[in-house]
Amino acid sequence: MELVHCASLLPARAGLAHGNAVAARRLTGAARSRLNARRYAGCMQGDADNVRMFRSGVHPCGYWQDREARDLVLDPRDPRLPALYPLALSWGFRRSGDILYRPSCPGCQACTAVRIPVAAFAPDRSQRRCLARNADVHARIVAPVRTDEHLALYRKYLTRRHPDGGMDDHGALEFEQFLVGRWNDGRFLELREDGSHRLLALAVTDVVPDALSAVYTCYDPDAGARGLGTLAILRQLEWARRDGRAHLYLGYWIAGHAKMDYKRRFRPLEGFDGYGWRPLLAGPAR
């Protein structure tokens, strides 16, 4: 159980990032990927000048098996979420389904929100090799409408890459709840093999006025040697540059975590420190 936090949407907007507690209400804990608006029905309406935040209950950390986690969640019933989303990204929040959250774990600040300044990015030697290795792969941006092909790839990826990760039984409903969302402006970036047109990777991507947000990427484990996770980010960067967007948000990075290590290879990389964005890694790494 935790406090409701309320922050002004007036000029001192950065207050949301620091959470000014003004009221209390109880919120039951749940795993992040299963949060949905029904859990907050009837208890989370904001007013014209403020937005409310809730702290989830304790749940197992998705990154460290020996740790517990909590999240700070923006009021999922607030009708202003589409307009707030770009601002929330700039405050280090992330979307999962219809939920905007940020880790708020007692005694741990390992998760750092990161983004790439698009205009300053240049691929390093390894990334250029990845592009050359995948010269036979084309990217296609489509509406976020799930197909049987998308779902089959998603389930194959989870089963092979994240066994016993708590998402092995995800089906069509969980795909929609976790990835698609009802209020965001999203797209699916498909990576397909030339000729066969085989779907190799799917990158769920949100579009906001000045940025793209890489929500989730899954790929065919049988084509792991291609470096499809890296390729997806490179294609998202090309997309952002083509559209004149300033940043690509990559979610959270954890120093020393093997599954997060790939993010530090995209340089320059900026990290959110709770007050603003700071250079995290200068680049490029050659």
Side-chain angles (χ1 to χ4, degrees):
M1 309 300 180
E2 189 50 87
L3 298 174
V4 171
H5 296 273
C6 191
S8 175
L9 294 178
L10 296 172
R13 293 186 174 187
L16 178 57
H18 313 301
N20 301 312
V22 298
R25 188 175 298 273
R26 293 180 179 179
L27 175 66
T28 57
R32 179 182 303 148
S33 65
R34 296 187 184 276
L35 284 171
N36 58 71
R38 289 193 300 273
R39 299 185 187 217
Y40 310 96
C43 69
M44 300 180 71
Q45 294 298 327
D47 60 39
D49 294 329
N50 297 294
V51 61
R52 294 196 287 180
M53 296 181 289
F54 293 71
R55 199 183 304 273
S56 76
V58 174
H59 58 83
C61 177
Y63 304 111
W64 302 110
Q65 293 183 353
D66 60 343
R67 300 186 191 182
E68 294 181 325
R70 301 184 78 178
D71 300 315
L72 197 61
V73 181
L74 292 191
D75 182 347
R77 298 277 300 207
D78 194 317
R80 299 164 296 177
L81 282 182
L84 287 171
Y85 189 23
L87 194 58
L89 282 171
S90 73
W91 288 332
F93 282 76
R94 185 128 176 96
R95 183 183 70 81
S96 176
D98 292 324
I99 302 297
L100 287 178
Y101 74 93
R102 194 178 76 185
S104 182
C105 308
C108 180
Q109 297 180 339
C111 292
T112 301
V114 293
R115 69 185 186 184
I116 303 169
V118 173
F121 173 78
D124 64 18
R125 185 180 299 109
S126 175
Q127 291 158 354
R128 292 194 297 270
R129 286 198 299 266
C130 179
L131 289 169
R133 186 165 59 247
N134 291 285
D136 61 337
V137 175
H138 64 275
R140 190 173 72 145
I141 301 168
V142 300
V145 178
R146 173 187 51 80
T147 67
D148 291 343
E149 188 180 26
H150 295 152
L151 181 58
L153 179 67
Y154 175 64
R155 298 190 66 175
K156 182 178 182 180
Y157 173 80
L158 290 177
T159 301
R160 297 271 296 278
R161 296 288 297 179
H162 301 285
D164 302 319
M167 298 168 64
D168 309 58
D169 60 346
H170 274 204
L173 177 62
E174 289 79 10
F175 183 102
E176 297 288 339
Q177 289 180 338
F178 176 42
L179 299 178
V180 179
R182 292 175 295 184
W183 53 259
N184 57 294
D185 184 10
R187 303 287 189 277
F188 287 171
L189 175 68
E190 298 180 340
L191 297 180
R192 293 185 176 273
E193 191 174 52
D194 292 345
S196 70
H197 204 56
R198 178 167 67 106
L199 180 64
L200 296 173
L202 180 70
V204 180
T205 310
D206 283 350
V207 180
V208 298
D210 201 34
L212 297 179
S213 178
V215 176
Y216 193 82
T217 297
C218 58
Y219 57 83
D220 188 343
D222 293 331
R226 284 181 173 273
L228 293 168
T230 294
L231 181 65
I233 294 176
L234 292 171
R235 295 304 189 204
Q236 287 170 323
L237 283 163
E238 290 174 1
W239 173 11
R241 189 186 301 270
R242 187 168 60 244
D243 286 0
R245 303 183 193 277
H247 298 101
L248 173 64
Y249 288 88
L250 295 183
Y252 300 109
W253 172 73
I254 301 174
H257 196 289
K259 291 184 178 179
M260 295 288 193
D261 189 63
Y262 72 94
K263 295 183 183 182
R264 70 177 180 83
R265 300 172 192 159
F266 292 87
R267 302 187 184 185
L269 191 67
E270 298 176 344
F272 185 73
D273 65 3
Y275 297 89
W277 292 88
R278 306 285 184 263
L280 189 66
L281 294 168
R286 299 299 176 186

